[in-house]
Amino acid sequence: EAQVTQNPRYLITVTGKKLTVTCSQNMNHEYMSWYRQDPGLGLRQIYYSMNVEVTDKGDVPEGYKVSRKEKRNFPLILESPSPNQTSLYFCASRPGGWGSYNEQFFGPGTRLTVL
Amino acid sequence: AQSVTQLGSHVSVSEGALVLLRCNYSSSVPPYLFWYVQYPNQGLQLLLKYTSAATLVKGINGFEAEFKKSETSFHLTKPSAHMSDAAEYFCAVSDREYGNKLVFGAGTILRVKS
């Protein structure tokens, strides 16, 4: 089944404890992206990647890191989480590169709480 | 930069009534526009998209949207609401200056009353 998977689905952690949220897609998509969803703000892009080893900042990148060493994986890293990073996180992928207007496929989400 | 405004954070309709969810966009170039739906505890699913072909776009589950350039709008409609339509709906515009990244509206929660 074609899908985007994220792990974990739920995570409660404490301020300053490094964490990684994994994202994997099995559709051979070039483009991958991370979003955070907050009430009343919709989804905001954190980072995106056009292909392997090509990543760039989105609208709200502060406090996050990403890497794209393989085409299928795009982990989101929080080196020192803070309470304002408590949110619902989505990973997405789409076929095609820079100019593609193909739809994005979303993972099921990761609900992160930072105490 | 592109932006999207969804009027009404919450919309309530009776089962069988018309659903109208409003979306206005700002774009300096002809946009690509999308509607996504998010059911509780799930990811986003594409309902429909406009990519400069027909201005009336039909999507899944009986939804459709009409692109009106003069009004910079892309409102989502469904003639008859069903209980299963209760969800959060997001309008998004594709920002061509930034690799066609999606810029989302704040979302509209649709409640369907029996």
Side-chain angles (χ1 to χ4, degrees):
Chain A
E1 180 189 357
Q3 60 183 347
V4 178
T5 57
Q6 295 179 229
N7 282 292
R9 293 289 313 278
Y10 302 91
L11 179 59
I12 300 174
T13 189
V14 296
T15 298
K17 186 176 181 182
K18 181 179 178 178
L19 67 91
T20 299
V21 183
T22 65
C23 172
S24 183
Q25 50 95 3
N26 62 1
M27 297 169 280
N28 201 37
H29 288 170
E30 289 80 8
Y31 180 97
M32 298 186 74
S33 182
W34 276 103
Y35 299 88
R36 59 178 289 173
Q37 182 183 3
D38 301 290
L41 296 177
L43 280 78
R44 294 175 293 167
Q45 189 182 54
I46 303 171
Y47 269 94
Y48 66 95
S49 170
M50 286 294 177
N51 215 320
V52 175
E53 302 291 1
V54 181
T55 63
D56 208 346
K57 297 177 180 178
D59 298 314
V60 289
E62 294 76 21
Y64 304 95
K65 286 176 58 177
V66 294
S67 68
R68 186 96 181 269
K69 294 181 170 35
E70 305 165 285
K71 198 172 187 179
R72 63 184 293 128
N73 296 323
F74 191 45
L76 180 69
I77 303 157
L78 285 71
E79 295 263 356
S80 183
S82 63
N84 64 12
Q85 293 178 298
T86 292
S87 188
L88 179 58
Y89 291 86
F90 286 101
C91 181
S93 71
R94 73 162 193 231
W98 181 262
S100 169
Y101 51 80
N102 291 315
E103 70 171 283
Q104 291 191 26
F105 294 83
F106 285 80
T110 295
R111 187 166 292 281
L112 173 65
T113 301
V114 183
L115 302 175
Chain B
Q2 321 288 31
S3 66
V4 175
T5 303
Q6 291 185 239
L7 288 175
S9 59
H10 292 76
V11 170
S12 184
V13 300
S14 298
E15 193 173 19
L18 172 72
V19 175
L20 171 60
L21 304 182
R22 299 179 186 274
C23 172
N24 289 89
Y25 67 90
S26 71
S27 175
S28 55
V29 296
Y32 301 131
L33 294 157
F34 303 79
W35 275 100
Y36 282 86
V37 60
Q38 183 181 30
Y39 297 105
N41 298 314
Q42 295 187 26
L44 278 71
Q45 178 183 357
L46 181 72
L47 272 178
L48 49 83
K49 68 179 182 181
Y50 167 77
T51 57
S52 74
T55 56
L56 182 63
V57 182
K58 294 188 184 298
I60 61 171
N61 301 338
F63 284 93
E64 62 182 37
E66 186 172 9
F67 171 70
K68 290 188 176 180
K69 184 178 178 180
S70 61
E71 299 177 7
T72 60
S73 69
F74 191 56
H75 302 330
L76 182 71
T77 60
K78 182 174 181 177
S80 177
H82 191 271
M83 296 297 289
S84 61
D85 295 327
E88 188 162 17
Y89 293 79
F90 293 95
C91 182
V93 65
S94 187
D95 191 334
R96 296 196 192 186
E97 283 188 66
Y98 295 94
N100 275 332
K101 76 167 191 177
L102 290 180
V103 176
F104 285 87
T108 298
I109 294 173
L110 176 66
R111 178 185 170 217
V112 181
K113 299 175 291 185
S114 58

